[in-house]
Amino acid sequence: MNYFENITFQKGVITVLGIKAESEFVTALKNYLKKSGTVMVTTDKSCTADMADFVILAPDTPKGKEFIFHTQEEIGVYKSKGFVIGYISVDLIEKEIAQVVDRAEAFAEVSKLYVTELMFPRALARGISENEKYDLLYIDDVYGEGKRYFARDITRYITYGAGVRMLNTDSDYVEELVKL
């Protein structure tokens, strides 16, 4: 699966949030960037751009398919370092917020819901738009018509110019989603 077709990354720090450093996605990013220079993968938040041509910072260690809701300070640090990629699972939808979100109380406050309510596309998009503000978002675990609908709905409700790519796991295809 070619996650990065038609994407050119600038040298520096690329932060990947929502997935472990040992994941297939981070490995694919590392291999993709190796074509353009030296690459280093780290979980150390104090990394700098002078450590290699490309430094991939993957500080999160999600438990299963949870959504890690970062603090404003964390997002500020990651944004100041360079490009930020978010990685989420569409399987978060229709599950209780308290069960699928790390820092569920803060997420519920931003999304204007209770932690006991179910996650739905508009709430997830609001949390991403108001707080996370990734430069590029990957939505994984998309299979079947219903999951594709949820992924497209999340994209529709994101209120800023993030690029969104949907990973069709039933066909191993990466689809770039466009806002209408």
Side-chain angles (χ1 to χ4, degrees):
M1 186 180 308
N2 184 359
Y3 297 105
F4 311 106
E5 188 174 338
N6 300 324
I7 299 176
T8 304
F9 291 100
Q10 300 293 325
K11 292 185 178 185
V13 177
I14 300 168
T15 304
V16 181
L17 299 174
I19 195 162
K20 296 178 183 180
E22 311 82 40
S23 69
E24 176 186 327
F25 181 81
V26 173
T27 302
L29 178 58
K30 178 182 176 184
N31 293 336
Y32 179 77
L33 294 173
K34 276 185 182 178
K35 299 173 192 170
S36 302
T38 59
V39 182
M40 176 184 155
V41 178
T42 184
T43 57
D44 183 6
K45 295 176 187 174
S46 64
C47 68
T48 62
D50 3 332
M51 299 172 121
D53 292 331
F54 297 97
V55 177
I56 301 171
L57 172 60
D60 291 344
T61 54
K63 300 166 198 85
K65 295 180 179 182
E66 74 176 340
F67 175 64
I68 297 179
F69 192 69
H70 300 89
T71 65
Q72 290 289 335
E73 294 78 30
E74 288 173 324
I75 293 297
V77 168
Y78 301 141
K79 285 284 194 182
S80 70
K81 289 184 179 293
F83 198 77
V84 179
I85 299 173
Y87 194 95
I88 63 170
S89 172
V90 76
D91 287 340
L92 300 169
I93 305 301
E94 296 184 329
K95 294 196 172 84
E96 189 176 304
I97 291 171
Q99 294 175 349
V100 295
V101 178
D102 182 33
R103 296 188 183 126
E105 294 80 18
F107 176 84
E109 185 177 315
V110 168
S111 63
K112 299 175 177 59
L113 296 171
Y114 296 104
V115 295
T116 55
E117 291 186 75
L118 297 181
M119 176 73 78
F120 56 94
R122 180 174 258 168
L124 184 55
R126 184 177 292 139
I128 291 168
S129 295
E130 297 293 322
N131 194 69
E132 301 295 311
K133 296 190 178 175
Y134 310 120
D135 297 309
L136 184 60
L137 172 64
Y138 283 85
I139 303 173
D140 196 6
D141 301 316
V142 179
Y143 55 89
E145 192 174 313
K147 301 289 185 177
R148 280 193 282 283
Y149 174 80
F150 284 150
R152 288 184 174 102
D153 220 21
I154 292 166
T155 303
R156 188 175 78 183
Y157 291 119
I158 291 178
T159 59
Y160 69 101
V164 181
R165 291 179 176 230
M166 173 173 69
L167 305 178
N168 285 323
T169 54
D170 55 354
S171 64
D172 282 340
Y173 179 73
V174 177
E175 180 181 339
E176 187 171 354
L177 299 180
V178 180
K179 291 177 79 128
L180 299 174

